[in-house]
């Protein structure tokens, strides 16, 4: 493998002695193994993960890479998408490096600008081959495969939108009732929480089940979680819910002066 510089580099004005690769992975052992593999293949590689997305990006800029191998899941403290967007804006080539087989997740990264996806389960020769293709300026996946991946993503979003539309039929109080059901609260607990009568709560629950087309509170809770409604409504603070979430318990608290 020669030492010639492969492709353009937005961070340097002159060619480097050999190709630089930044490895961004929150699993340090995996990252070190990949770095060692790439260096044995004749590249200069370095781990770039920092404590924050800003620190990681500074490390990437310092490495001045021709290629970034980016883990799709960098844990709870920083976003792979943020790093990807910065790298795309800088004109870098990014290959997603992941242990996930979630094709929708892969498609989201492709849509955001990743050149391709490299499974962490790939053998050493496969990883080096992908790196060679990327640095030579070749596509990491065929246009047909990319189109199919993006088509799956579009259909997934359309299906999610259809699934979410039923929740728009809930009244404010019904949405709040569903959120508490999803947390595992029963009718008696909800009645006590809101200081209203059991018949009032049961009326809200019957309305929720009818609108969702399910026959039990368990099914309603599963539907709320599986569709992403609960996460969007309660965890992200959607305007669907006006009842605040308690930071101590994660529970949706009763509004002051709320009535049934």
């Amino acid at each position: 493998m020669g030492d010639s510089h492969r492709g353009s580099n937005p961070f340097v004005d002159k060619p480097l002695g050999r190709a630089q690769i930044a490895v961004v992975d929150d699993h340090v052992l995996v990252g070190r193994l990949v770095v060692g593999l790439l260096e044995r293949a004749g590249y200069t590689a370095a781990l770039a993960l920092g404590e924050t997305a800003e620190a990681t990006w500074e490390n990437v800029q310092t490495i001045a890479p021709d290629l970034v191998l980016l883990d799709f899941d960098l844990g709870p403290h920083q976003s792979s998408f943020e790093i990807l967007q910065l790298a795309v804006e800088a004109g870098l080539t990014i290959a997603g490096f992941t242990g996930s087989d979630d094709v929708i997740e892969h498609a989201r990264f492709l849509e955001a600008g990743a050149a391709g996806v490299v499974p962490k389960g790939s053998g050493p020769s496969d990883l080096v081959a992908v790196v060679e293709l990327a640095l030579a300026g070749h596509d990491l996946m065929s246009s047909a495969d990319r189109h199919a991946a993006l088509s799956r993503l579009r259909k997934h979003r359309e299906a999610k939108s259809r699934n979410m539309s039923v929740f728009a039929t809930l009244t404010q109080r019904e949405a709040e009732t569903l959120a508490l059901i999803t947390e595992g609260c029963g009718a008696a607990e909800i009645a006590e929480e809101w200081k209203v009568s059991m018949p009032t709560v049961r009326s809200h629950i019957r309305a929720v089940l009818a609108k969702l087309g399910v026959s039990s509170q368990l099914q309603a809770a599963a539907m709320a979680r599986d569709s992403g409604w609960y996460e969007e409504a309660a965890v992200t603070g959607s305007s669907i819910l006006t009842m605040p979430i308690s930071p101590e318990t994660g529970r949706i608290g009763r509004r002051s002066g709320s009535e049934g």
Side-chain angles (χ1 to χ4, degrees):
M1 191 174 298
D3 289 338
S4 61
H5 174 69
R6 297 167 171 81
S8 61
N9 189 307
F11 297 130
V12 294
D13 297 325
K14 59 183 179 180
L16 300 173
R18 57 181 181 171
Q20 308 277 334
I21 302 170
V23 179
V24 184
D25 195 312
D26 65 328
H27 296 90
V28 176
L29 179 59
V30 173
R32 287 175 177 169
L33 288 172
V34 172
V35 166
L37 170 65
L38 294 173
E39 289 185 335
R40 287 193 297 274
Y43 300 106
T44 298
L47 292 175
L49 187 74
E51 293 295 324
T52 64
E54 292 77 11
T56 296
W57 180 239
E58 288 179 5
N59 292 341
V60 170
Q61 291 176 292
T62 299
I63 295 169
D66 301 285
L67 174 67
V68 179
L69 286 178
L70 174 64
D71 188 352
F72 283 170
D73 184 3
L74 295 179
H77 303 300
Q78 55 183 299
S79 167
S80 300
F81 267 97
E82 185 175 350
I83 304 301
L84 175 60
Q85 289 167 351
L86 290 168
V88 169
E89 290 172 2
L92 290 173
T93 299
I94 308 96
F97 189 53
T98 179
S100 169
D101 58 0
D102 186 341
V103 295
I104 298 301
E105 179 190 57
H106 296 179
R108 289 193 184 103
F109 277 84
L110 292 171
E111 180 185 56
V117 178
V118 185
K120 285 187 176 181
S122 299
S125 59
D126 291 334
L127 177 60
V128 172
V130 168
V131 169
E132 283 285 347
L133 286 171
L135 294 175
H138 299 303
D139 293 332
L140 296 187
M141 61 190 308
S142 69
S143 58
D145 287 343
R146 180 176 290 272
H147 175 77
L150 296 179
S151 178
R152 280 194 298 270
L153 178 59
R154 184 183 68 255
K155 292 177 181 178
H156 170 79
R157 286 172 173 162
E158 291 171 350
K160 182 177 180 180
S161 178
R162 288 193 299 271
N163 291 338
M164 292 288 282
S165 64
V166 68
F167 295 99
T169 66
L170 300 176
T171 66
Q172 184 71 41
R173 183 54 109 190
E174 290 164 0
E176 293 165 353
T177 301
L178 176 58
L180 289 175
I181 288 174
T182 305
E183 290 182 5
C185 296
E189 189 175 356
I190 296 173
E192 181 180 357
E193 183 88 4
W194 288 347
K195 308 302 182 189
V196 299
S197 68
M198 282 285 287
T200 296
V201 174
R202 289 196 179 105
S203 175
H204 293 321
I205 292 175
R206 284 195 299 272
V208 169
L209 300 185
K211 289 182 177 180
L212 298 187
V214 296
S215 58
S216 72
Q217 295 177 49
L218 184 61
Q219 289 176 324
M223 187 173 175
R225 289 193 182 278
D226 294 345
S227 68
W229 176 88
Y230 178 75
E231 180 180 2
E232 182 175 320
V235 177
T236 65
S238 168
S239 60
I240 292 175
L241 299 181
T242 58
M243 300 180 67
I245 299 176
S246 166
E248 291 81 13
T249 65
R251 287 279 307 281
I252 299 176
R254 180 174 59 86
R255 290 179 296 182
S256 176
S258 178
E259 298 295 338

